Amino acid sequence: MRFLTADYLYPLYIKPIREGVLQISDKGEVVAVLESRADISKEKLEIFNGVLCPGFINAHCHLELSHLKGIAEKGRGFLDFIKTIKKRGEFNHKEIQNGIEKAEQEMINNGIVAVGDICNTKDTIWQKQKSNMKYYNYIEIFGVETSETETIISNALHIRDQFRAAGLQATITPHAPYSVPPIMMQKILSFFDTKDHVFSIHMHETEAENKLFEHKKGKFYTWLNNINASSEIWEKRNKSIDIVKELKDQRILLVHNTFVKKEDLIDSYYCTCPNANLYIEDALPDYSIFDVEKLCVGTDSLASNNSLSILKELLTIQKNTDFDLNKLLKIASKNGAEALRFLDLGTFEKGKKPGVNLLQRLNGPKLTKKSLVRKLY
């Protein structure tokens, strides 16, 4: 049994507690949250300077792209970034595996306990089977030609079944509104079963995406026509968000949302990846329009980010909002756990095993460039 205490305890299901005590079992299960150190003998207390909070949830990542770190030029836009992704096959198996292993360890070191991970290959299965952290694996569909529907779906099913055979959570999910025709969406929905909890979709990632659906023109319109995309993609959708209707009220995590408009928001969880948005598009969402209780955060991939640090993402959000530390930590832990249905993570509620992070080098209740995260459990 451990009794952890710091300047502040952030349980995230109740208000922060000054000098609160977290009682956890040796297996990391929350036994109790205590409002005072007075009832615990000093010999049992582990006292830290800083803030205690639950482990972080990286709600959106592409672990399999970790070997592409530093290749994409910053600020060149999404279409240029796609050229970098196409280089993924130019690396050998060992280089890909080393990238994955190092990236997972980086996340663990940064206090991340669970990940919503996008998968286009089986490359990460071997690492995830080690159970160093929890993953919700999204087997992503990207296919703009209706004639390729059966082949693409068959390949995705094969990958999903390999993940499931390895004991890993895996759901077939669409990439984005502009990269999956309606007929393919119907197929994706048909394979959503009792083992699935939530879809994940890249949404409103660029201004060109909005122009494609709302005005039937722009860079995406030209690009999609050049690669023989089905015109039903933009003809049957007048806005990006129209794709949600095709998923028949299933739970959806909408990712990026850099250029989403307030009138297009729905009752759903939203994931922001601020440092990746700055890396690719040099833009951020208008955070004031979101319901903070349903906003979570991801790092995206090392192909589009300098690090896999939720703390650094929070620092960027803090700079661009008036969110206090309690809201930021909900975004980092509680909301992501709820969005991905990791019900035993996210808060210090009794019976959960959420992990324990210690945040240090804060300026009062504010994060700073010098702030650090240390994983205690």
Side-chain angles (χ1 to χ4, degrees), residues 171-184:
T171 294
I172 295 176
T173 201
H175 167 259
Y178 56 83
S179 56
V180 182
I183 189 172
M184 209 173 288

Side-chain angles (χ1 to χ4, degrees), residues 6 44 49 66 70 72 79 95 126 183 217 228 258 369:
K44 291 183 178 180
N49 293 321
S66 300
L79 291 180
E95 290 173 316
W126 65 277
I183 189 172
K217 64 180 182 180
N228 300 313
T258 319
K369 291 182 179 180

Side-chain angles (χ1 to χ4, degrees), residues 252-267:
I252 305 168
L253 175 61
L254 304 173
V255 181
H256 288 303
N257 312 293
T258 319
F259 295 91
V260 69
K261 302 171 186 176
K262 186 175 183 178
E263 59 265 29
D264 292 330
L265 294 178
I266 61 172
D267 183 17

Side-chain angles (χ1 to χ4, degrees), residues 214-231:
E214 295 176 20
H215 305 292
K216 319 303 181 189
K217 64 180 182 180
K219 292 180 180 179
F220 268 31
Y221 182 82
T222 301
W223 167 56
L224 290 169
N225 274 291
N226 286 341
I227 59 175
N228 300 313
S230 168
S231 60

Side-chain angles (χ1 to χ4, degrees), residues 23 64 71 85 94 98-99 108 113 157 182 202 277 314 331 339:
Q23 181 182 359
E64 66 187 15
I71 293 178
I85 303 304
K94 186 175 181 180
N98 285 342
I108 292 170
V113 296
L157 276 171
H202 295 76
N277 297 154
L314 295 182
I331 290 168

Side-chain angles (χ1 to χ4, degrees), residues 88-224:
R88 63 193 300 171
E90 297 177 7
F91 295 78
N92 62 47
H93 184 63
K94 186 175 181 180
E95 290 173 316
I96 294 171
Q97 285 194 322
N98 285 342
I100 290 167
E101 188 172 19
K102 289 179 181 178
E104 184 187 71
Q105 189 58 54
E106 179 181 343
M107 287 195 283
I108 292 170
N109 293 343
N110 283 322
I112 296 169
V113 296
V115 184
D117 196 43
I118 304 298
C119 309
N120 298 103
T121 69
K122 297 175 285 185
D123 290 344
T124 58
I125 291 178
W126 65 277
Q127 185 65 32
K128 290 168 179 174
Q129 282 183 295
K130 298 176 183 179
S131 300
N132 294 325
M133 58 201 308
K134 292 188 176 183
Y135 289 93
Y136 194 126
N137 301 288
Y138 287 106
I139 313 306
E140 186 177 70
I141 297 290
F142 188 115
V144 296
E145 296 183 57
T146 55
S147 61
E148 297 178 351
T149 298
E150 294 301 326
T151 300
I152 291 171
I153 293 293
S154 177
N155 181 60
L157 276 171
H158 174 68
I159 295 173
R160 185 201 69 175
D161 291 346
Q162 294 246 350
F163 272 85
R164 288 185 174 183
L168 301 168
Q169 173 79 45
T171 294
I172 295 176
T173 201
H175 167 259
Y178 56 83
S179 56
V180 182
I183 189 172
M184 209 173 288
M185 288 294 295
Q186 294 172 21
K187 287 284 188 179
I188 292 169
L189 183 62
S190 72
F191 290 108
F192 193 88
D193 61 25
T194 56
K195 295 181 180 180
D196 299 312
H197 300 312
V198 58
F199 286 113
S200 173
I201 308 179
H202 295 76
M203 186 73 69
H204 294 113
E205 195 168 356
T206 74
E207 186 59 47
E209 180 182 330
N210 289 340
K211 288 183 179 179
L212 169 70
F213 294 109
E214 295 176 20
H215 305 292
K216 319 303 181 189
K217 64 180 182 180
K219 292 180 180 179
F220 268 31
Y221 182 82
T222 301
W223 167 56
L224 290 169

